[in-house]
Structures are given as structure tokens and as C-alpha cells.
Amino acid sequence: PITLGHMQSFEEARRLLLAEAGVPRPARLEKFAATLGFISLNGDRHVNWKLQDIGEPSLSWATRWHLVELAIADISWMSLETFEGESMEELKRRWSKLTFIHFYMNGADDVVAHSKYTWASRDARYITMGRQGFTEQVIEGMANHGLDADDGLFILGPELPEISST
């Protein structure tokens, strides 16, 4: 299910993108006037498999969806989408004079597990929240794949406390 750590990740990403005072950010990351945060859920099959490995029961997709609705109910800039990136085309269509940039957001553990730093490009931008035991591996992976931390294609946010539900 959604955790306080997930919510903190969205808050930290927003602070970084909006260039809040005192928040470190990549030198060449463009300025953003506003942010929207969309949460998409993993399917039941993936969640069941992940939790079965540790002997925990899982919540259905519908229940997890409802929990996210409750978690973001008072956050005007956040919403849910059925799959990641689903909202982009509609946003671009409805507000064609605005520029929308999609960032994938992950925890450092997931990025390390799937070498997601190798996926970053102008068309696939990432914000990764640091996580104890994995942040240094992300930094090494970025360096090994020639990613310049100041370009804003693959952004490493602050190291957060435990953000996983498992």
C-alpha cells in the first residue's frame, strides 16, 4: 500500500522541481512553474508475487486505489492514473499552450535492481529518491553510464527513510 515514504517522495520531488530555497537541484534542470503528481499502481500479480516472498498477504488493486485516494484527498496537485504516463496526452491536448514534462519516479533500490539509470534520456526522465544502502550504487551506476547529474535527465533526490511497504 501507499506509505508516508511514498508521499514524502512526491513532496521532495515537487520541492526540487519548483526550486524551493535551500533544496539542491541539478544545475541545468529547467525551471518549473507548477507540478502535478500522478500515482499509478502495480498490478495485483506483481504485488502478490512481491509480498508472497516475505509471507505477507496483499491488498487488492481496488483497495490500494482507494487507499491512495484517501492519502491524496487534500493534495490539490496529486491524482491517480491507471498506468504511468496515462494523463500526459490529455494534459497536452487540454492545455496545448503549456509544456508538460513527464518524470518517472522511483526509489534507489528499484533503480539499482533494474539498472534504470540506463533508461534515462530526453524522452524518459527520472527522479530517484535516495535510500540507505542503495544511493551510492545509483551514483556509481550514473557515473558508469555517463549520466551527468547536472543535466536533469536522471535526478537523484535526497536520501529518505524507509520508503518501501515491504
Side-chain angles (χ1 to χ4, degrees), residues 25-57:
R25 67 193 311 268
R28 291 179 294 282
L29 178 63
E30 62 267 57
K31 303 279 191 256
F32 294 91
T35 62
L36 298 171
F38 292 94
I39 296 178
S40 57
L41 303 177
N42 290 321
D44 281 344
R45 185 174 178 190
H46 172 77
V47 173
N48 290 341
W49 169 80
K50 183 177 176 182
L51 292 177
Q52 183 178 5
D53 275 356
I54 60 171
E56 293 288 331

Side-chain angles (χ1 to χ4, degrees), residues 82-98:
T82 308
F83 58 89
E84 187 160 4
E86 172 187 28
S87 304
M88 287 299 291
E89 291 308 313
E90 177 67 11
L91 291 169
K92 290 176 181 179
R93 187 190 65 72
R94 289 183 69 182
W95 292 283
S96 60
K97 293 187 182 350
L98 297 178

